[in-house]
Amino acid sequence: MFQPSKKIVYEKSKLSGTTTWQSPSNIALIKYWGKRDLQIPINPSLSFTLSKCNTQTTISYKPSSDGFKYEFYFEDQPKPEFKKKLDIFFQRIISYLPFLNQISIKINSTNTFPHSSGIASSASAFSALSLCLTDIEKSILCSSDFLKKSSFISRLGSGSACRSVYGPASIWGKSSLVKESKDDYAVPFDLPNFFKNYNDTILIVDEKSKSVSSTVGHDLVKNHQFKNSRVKQANKNLDKLIKSILNKDIGEFIKVVENEALTLHAMMLSSNPSFILLKPNTINIINKIWSFRNKNNTTLCFTLDAGANIHLLYHQTDFETVQNFIKDELLIFCSNGKYIDDKIGYGGIKK
């Protein structure tokens, strides 16, 4: 685990510069839902890293004589509504990156995907930001464990962000199944070549912001009646999923992925107070997928994040078949016919 660092006075010549990193979102197959302590998951999660849906963040920095200061811009426009989250993030990380006390920074971020599109923008945003900050530390101190430190810092902004640092897949949360796994940061999971050729098409069922935030949802798990059972289920499903991936057992892979997606929303339905993020058209699409798969020998399956929009996962060999299925039968359930084609990617990239 990374420990708070000692405060050191650095040479001013080292405290100015610019860095840019691009980091993708990710889609969890084994879901992280519920946490303990400070951004520590109650169960391990495994995710596929995306490619096209990413955030690019640039930080320019210079010496500051009166402590840490920051400005934040999204697509070159000030975004004061993000200040509360960023304030909390910087309060959490400043003891691990004490050089921040001696600089002021300007952050500018852009996304390749729209807000409220079913993509975890907090994952790509905080991982891109953390990669920039850790890169500044590396340039000042020549520090090691760059990706682990970036994942650790990302986690303190958004839990799922720690998985976006790596590709094509990653695991976050301590598990006896994965020797290197940790609660404090994610570690890469090496996919066989077959799964590296998977696509993720996101069907936009609802473009509005969620009625209940993920933060609130996570908090409701603390006293959830099925909390202990969910932790056991998640660990069992992780075991099944890893075996299905290594053995290229597509039938088992589909069962586990869809079970995890539906369990996530079952936890919401059975929370106290309960809440529903699914929409009627979410259910319509799921039924269409099940019917389509019963009639066709295909790798297609679905998963869901904490929202109404559906991620279709399928191998490249089924690309044409699934695309035709989307256009012929699923677009009518999408908001304004919107969907996003993405595929498996490879984590953060310095630009």
Side-chain angles (χ1 to χ4, degrees):
M1 177 178 172
F2 295 96
Q3 298 294 330
S5 304
K6 295 179 180 178
K7 294 181 180 179
I8 302 171
V9 177
Y10 303 102
E11 295 178 25
K12 285 191 176 182
S13 61
K14 292 185 176 182
L15 298 177
S16 61
T18 302
T19 182
T20 300
W21 280 80
Q22 175 183 294
S23 190
S25 187
N26 66 77
I27 178 65
L29 309 183
I30 301 297
K31 304 297 183 181
Y32 146 58
W33 197 242
K35 52 192 172 184
R36 54 185 172 81
D37 303 326
L38 181 59
Q39 299 289 91
I40 298 296
I42 64 170
N43 65 265
S45 57
L46 187 154
S47 62
F48 279 175
T49 310
L50 300 183
S51 174
K52 298 177 184 177
C53 294
N54 58 67
T55 299
Q56 182 165 300
T57 296
T58 296
I59 292 182
S60 57
Y61 56 101
K62 60 184 180 181
S64 171
S65 58
D66 54 353
F68 175 63
K69 294 181 179 180
Y70 76 89
E71 299 174 82
F72 179 78
Y73 296 84
F74 182 75
E75 297 179 346
D76 297 316
Q77 298 297 317
K79 287 289 179 180
E81 59 268 35
F82 292 165
K83 189 176 187 300
K84 183 178 179 181
K85 279 190 175 182
L86 287 169
D87 283 349
I88 292 171
F89 173 63
F90 284 118
Q91 287 167 12
R92 289 173 176 173
I93 70 167
I94 201 159
S95 63
Y96 299 100
L97 300 173
F99 68 87
L100 288 174
N101 287 301
Q102 298 173 51
I103 63 173
S104 63
I105 66 175
K106 179 180 178 182
I107 308 163
N108 191 33
S109 287
T110 60
N111 284 353
T112 60
F113 56 93
H115 286 296
S116 303
S117 59
I119 315 292
S121 58
S122 62
S124 59
F126 277 106
S127 57
L129 175 57
S130 298
L131 284 161
C132 286
L133 294 171
T134 313
D135 192 33
I136 296 172
E137 180 190 51
K138 185 178 179 182
S139 70
I140 297 171
L141 296 176
C142 299
S143 55
S144 58
D145 288 332
F146 173 73
L147 290 178
K148 287 182 181 178
K149 182 74 173 278
S150 297
S151 181
F152 174 85
I153 295 297
S154 298
R155 190 198 95 237
L156 297 175
S158 166
S160 58
C162 74
R163 299 190 304 249
S164 283
V165 170
Y166 301 100
S170 63
I171 290 178
W172 171 41
K174 184 65 178 174
S175 169
S176 60
L177 301 170
V178 182
K179 187 177 179 181
E180 301 84 6
S181 60
K182 301 288 183 183
D183 286 339
D184 298 308
Y185 52 83
V187 295
F189 179 76
D190 187 23
L191 288 178
N193 286 332
F194 180 84
F195 285 96
K196 290 178 183 177
N197 289 308
Y198 256 59
N199 295 280
D200 180 359
T201 297
I202 304 100
L203 305 179
I204 312 303
V205 174
D206 187 10
E207 298 180 75
K208 298 175 183 176
S209 297
K210 293 181 293 189
S211 57
V212 176
S213 72
S214 292
T215 299
V216 172
H218 282 295
D219 287 343
L220 289 172
V221 178
K222 292 176 182 176
N223 299 310
H224 200 291
Q225 58 188 321
F226 300 136
K227 175 183 174 181
N228 293 334
S229 296
R230 167 57 192 154
V231 171
K232 291 178 183 177
Q233 180 203 34
N235 281 281
K236 286 181 180 179
N237 277 347
L238 179 62
D239 185 29
K240 291 178 183 177
L241 187 70
I242 290 174
K243 288 176 180 175
S244 72
I245 289 173
L246 296 178
N247 297 327
K248 208 174 84 172
D249 185 342
I250 305 305
E252 183 69 4
F253 177 85
I254 289 171
K255 286 180 184 177
V256 175
V257 169
E258 294 188 350
N259 178 256
E260 278 288 302
L262 295 174
T263 297
L264 171 66
H265 286 267
M267 290 291 286
M268 298 175 197
L269 287 164
S270 52
S271 292
N272 185 18
S274 59
F275 59 102
I276 302 173
L277 296 183
L278 300 176
K279 299 294 181 182
N281 280 340
T282 309
I283 307 300
N284 288 331
I285 291 172
I286 290 172
N287 282 320
K288 284 285 186 180
I289 292 168
W290 285 341
S291 177
F292 177 79
R293 202 167 58 224
N294 284 335
K295 297 174 184 176
N296 298 274
N297 182 21
T298 176
T299 57
L300 176 65
C301 66
F302 71 85
T303 188
L304 296 154
D305 264 341
N309 302 318
I310 291 190
H311 291 247
L312 302 180
L313 301 176
Y314 54 98
H315 192 266
Q316 182 63 28
T317 53
D318 288 327
F319 184 82
E320 185 176 350
T321 300
V322 173
Q323 289 289 314
N324 288 335
F325 171 51
I326 293 169
K327 292 165 187 173
D328 293 342
E329 299 190 46
L330 302 183
L331 278 190
I332 60 171
F333 303 117
C334 297
S335 177
N336 298 311
K338 290 184 179 179
Y339 67 100
I340 300 171
D341 281 324
D342 208 334
K343 59 184 180 181
I344 302 302
Y346 291 92
I349 300 170
K350 187 168 185 177
K351 306 299 283 187

